[in-house]
Amino acid sequence: MKKILLCMALSLFLLKVGAQGSNSSIIPLKYGAQYSGKRTDEAMNKWRSNRFGQFIHWGLYAIPGGVWNGKTYNYAAEFLKSSANVPDAVWDSLVYQFNPVKFDAKKWARMARNMGVKYMTITTKHHEGFCMWPSRYTDFNVGNSPYKKDLLKELVTAYNAEGIDVNFYYSVLDWHHPDWRYDIKTPEDSIAFSRYLTFAGNQLKELATNYPTVKAFWFDGTWDNSVKKNGRWTYEMEKMLKEVRPGVIVNSRLRADDFGKRHKDSNGQLMGDYESGYERRLPDPVKDLAVTKWDWEACMTIPENQWGYHKDWTISHIKTPVELLEMLANATSMGGNFLLNFGPAGDGTFRRQEQDIATTIGKWMARYGKAIYDCDYVEMNKQDWGYFTGKKNTNQLNMIVFNTPVNGLLKIATPKGMVLDRAVFMGGDGQTLQLEEVSKNQYHLHLPLKLYDLPPVIILDFHTGDAGKKYQDAKT
Ligand code: H76
């Protein structure tokens, strides 16, 4: 008996030391991450293989387009109500002007397909509170505009017909709803805000139920204290959506845990299915550790910080198609998705610049999309000429080349045990490019010197093996 007790005491002691030793004391959470690691089910694999998506910000803000009473506001056009201090009733009356007479869902979907995106994420409701579908929970919706029709349904149908997945952006922050609160400071706030959360939950259930092909929910406007104090609601929403629509994907931005920790819970686990915090930037491969642990997506604007339609695009740098392609390649090379934003005008058309960007990107994707779709981080360091991508478990790598050196030599460093065999242009005539082994795990690829109007992609065949004893390490 004594022996048993001693044993028990000892193992308890060891357990404790073990836990402390590995610094893994786990904080008990009711509303933390619902699972750990990457999802590997079919829906998530599809989401991941899509890699390139179109973000669409469209709402009442598209009508004034960043200009109010003759004054241009440089801040994000979808924030105009707030930047120009427009009274609620005045802003809300824009609903009577919402009539996109040139809107053609099929045309939008064709443009997206030609650009090469595999998914589209649309603002069903932005901060202004206007709903792009005829929600039964508020009158402030497209059904009460002169347009009348269910715009969301038209888009879902048209994009799905082009083979493009549709995801729903939903802002929890709502400037229109009387029960919205930024913080909960009084019992009245608490009562009002819980009414708001019921409303939002109803709307989310309505969206998940009425649009059965929806693939993911993209939450936004969740950073205020009111939401942080309602981690339970965010937990329940993730659960509810997955029950109503099995396989559906939810971004990390929705979630807060018991202590108001967002994106990652108090134990450092990602909440939701992928990290969506990379906004107008790509993650740092080292600091953000994005390439190894979690699925993720970066979202990007074409101007500096305009999501909704802004009339004046001279107020910031406009990214070129090649700059955007570089971000897409970079994201793919780090195992993430890239969501590129478009802000159609109030009449339902895309500005010329957006159409041209879509055309150029589409031209590149048609030829080189194989280096993006279904591609991943291939455990190779980034190199001077550009980005490696590849499919897991194959003997091929793609080099997406953005920097062409004056001497025409692309320097490639391979990890130990990888021997390069052959290099050809993707979508080219199949002629091999000269690949010269110059040192241990160092190669020069001889790139034909010319001006490349779009970044070329080179396919490398390799095998695992030893390069031999040809190269000696220096003795120092
Ligand atoms: C701030 C903010 C919002 N989050 C971006 C994705 C846009 O919707 C912008 O309005």
Side-chain angles (χ1 to χ4, degrees):
M1 186 64 191
K2 255 191 190 162
K3 247 189 184 170
I4 293 174
L5 275 177
L6 203 74
C7 246
M8 273 171 65
L10 188 70
S11 40
L12 268 175
F13 173 76
L14 284 176
L15 261 175
K16 201 149 179 251
V17 169
Q20 278 170 353
S22 60
N23 199 13
S24 66
S25 46
I26 290 185
I27 301 164
L29 293 172
K30 277 198 271 182
Y31 311 121
Q34 296 182 1
Y35 65 93
S36 79
K38 284 187 185 180
R39 259 174 67 176
T40 54
D41 55 284
E42 210 182 307
M44 197 70 207
N45 292 345
K46 172 67 168 66
W47 181 91
R48 186 182 303 118
S49 76
N50 286 341
R51 282 298 178 233
F52 183 29
Q54 177 189 38
F55 211 171
I56 292 185
H57 274 70
W58 205 28
L60 299 180
Y61 43 81
I63 302 169
V67 182
W68 199 258
N69 285 337
K71 189 172 170 218
T72 300
Y73 292 81
N74 289 357
Y75 198 69
E78 71 281 5
F79 272 79
L80 184 66
K81 178 179 190 254
S82 142
S83 10
N85 261 314
V86 184
D88 294 344
V90 178
W91 187 269
D92 292 353
S93 69
L94 284 171
V95 63
Y96 304 115
Q97 286 179 51
F98 190 79
N99 195 15
V101 285
K102 293 186 187 154
F103 172 60
D104 179 347
K106 286 187 186 147
K107 215 164 152 186
W108 284 29
R110 266 199 308 275
M111 171 177 146
R113 186 203 57 201
N114 291 339
M115 176 166 67
V117 292
K118 298 284 186 199
Y119 67 105
M120 183 274 267
T121 306
I122 173 86
T123 48
T124 60
K125 181 188 93 167
H126 201 264
H127 309 340
E128 65 181 2
F130 178 67
C131 298
M132 300 295 259
W133 81 103
S135 175
R136 52 182 280 218
Y137 300 101
T138 174
D139 290 338
F140 197 42
N141 75 58
V142 69
N144 295 315
S145 75
Y147 186 71
K148 283 202 178 73
K149 287 175 279 178
D150 184 351
L151 214 153
L152 190 60
K153 194 166 177 198
E154 289 182 70
L155 282 172
V156 171
T157 308
Y159 274 73
N160 285 171
E162 294 289 358
I164 300 172
D165 292 339
V166 177
N167 306 330
F168 292 163
Y169 167 107
Y170 183 89
S171 172
V172 178
L173 164 62
D174 191 319
W175 297 331
H176 173 83
H177 201 288
D179 291 329
W180 166 263
R181 293 292 182 277
Y182 289 92
D183 202 349
I184 314 288
K185 289 192 171 138
T186 63
E188 289 73 31
D189 283 344
S190 169
I191 292 163
F193 196 65
S194 68
R195 270 200 306 265
Y196 175 77
L197 292 179
T198 304
F199 159 80
N202 284 337
Q203 286 207 315
L204 290 164
K205 198 167 195 174
E206 183 181 43
L207 285 169
T209 310
N210 292 357
Y211 305 87
T213 63
V214 60
K215 294 290 184 283
F217 280 81
W218 206 105
F219 286 92
D220 198 16
T222 42
W223 42 74
D224 288 303
N225 279 341
S226 51
V227 182
K228 285 202 243 171
K229 289 175 182 171
N230 278 280
R232 177 182 174 168
W233 180 83
T234 71
Y235 180 92
E236 283 169 356
M237 286 304 107
E238 181 180 347
K239 269 213 137 58
M240 181 276 288
L241 290 170
K242 288 174 176 176
E243 269 158 32
V244 176
R245 204 45 69 206
V248 86
I249 290 158
V250 170
N251 65 339
S252 62
R253 200 178 287 213
L254 164 67
R255 296 282 277 105
D257 75 358
D258 314 38
F259 301 102
K261 271 275 283 165
R262 299 186 54 239
H263 293 261
K264 279 163 212 150
D265 69 19
S266 300
N267 292 313
Q269 289 283 336
L270 184 78
M271 296 180 284
D273 300 308
Y274 68 92
E275 177 55 81
S276 61
Y278 311 114
E279 182 164 321
R280 292 188 288 120
R281 74 177 181 99
L282 290 168
D284 182 294
V286 180
K287 275 191 260 154
D288 295 315
L289 284 177
V291 290
T292 49
K293 282 194 182 165
W294 297 295
D295 282 306
W296 59 270
E297 176 194 66
C299 57
M300 188 60 62
T301 50
I302 295 172
E304 179 50 25
N305 181 24
Q306 298 292 341
W307 300 85
Y309 177 77
H310 197 295
K311 284 178 185 159
D312 187 357
W313 258 25
T314 65
I315 54 186
S316 75
H317 168 64
I318 304 299
K319 296 177 192 76
T320 66
V322 175
E323 274 181 274
L324 297 165
L325 282 171
E326 177 156 6
M327 291 174 179
L328 170 63
N330 191 358
T332 305
S333 79
M334 295 192 287
N337 285 10
F338 187 66
L339 185 62
L340 179 61
N341 183 70
F342 289 75
D347 66 359
T349 60
F350 288 89
R351 70 199 320 136
R352 177 96 300 214
Q353 291 113 308
E354 285 186 346
Q355 293 182 43
D356 291 347
I357 286 169
T359 304
T360 308
I361 289 179
K363 199 172 131 195
W364 189 87
M365 290 299 288
R367 185 162 174 187
Y368 300 122
K370 276 194 224 120
I372 301 291
Y373 307 128
D374 209 17
C375 284
D376 217 324
Y377 171 57
V378 285
E379 287 163 36
M380 306 271 284
N381 292 334
K382 185 192 165 330
Q383 318 225 345
D384 291 341
W385 40 261
Y387 306 89
F388 277 123
T389 69
K391 293 187 175 52
K392 290 258 151 84
N393 308 315
T394 65
N395 282 316
Q396 275 192 344
L397 292 170
N398 308 302
M399 298 168 61
I400 312 185
V401 180
F402 287 88
N403 306 313
T404 54
V406 175
N407 64 10
L409 301 176
L410 304 185
K411 295 182 182 175
I412 304 173
T414 58
K416 213 175 149 206
M418 177 188 277
V419 181
L420 299 182
D421 299 320
R422 207 172 88 98
V424 292
F425 278 125
M426 181 180 280
D429 58 8
Q431 219 183 316
T432 55
L433 298 165
Q434 193 193 336
L435 192 61
E436 193 187 4
E437 188 188 23
V438 292
S439 174
K440 208 184 216 171
N441 296 108
Q442 296 284 342
Y443 296 81
H444 283 172
L445 192 145
H446 295 245
L447 185 78
L449 273 180
K450 61 167 199 162
L451 268 182
Y452 294 86
D453 59 338
L454 287 174
V457 177
I458 295 160
I459 304 173
L460 292 178
D461 291 325
F462 67 89
H463 70 270
T464 32
D466 191 356
K469 293 213 164 46
K470 208 156 114 192
Y471 304 105
Q472 310 282 324
D473 287 332
K475 287 192 174 64
T476 59

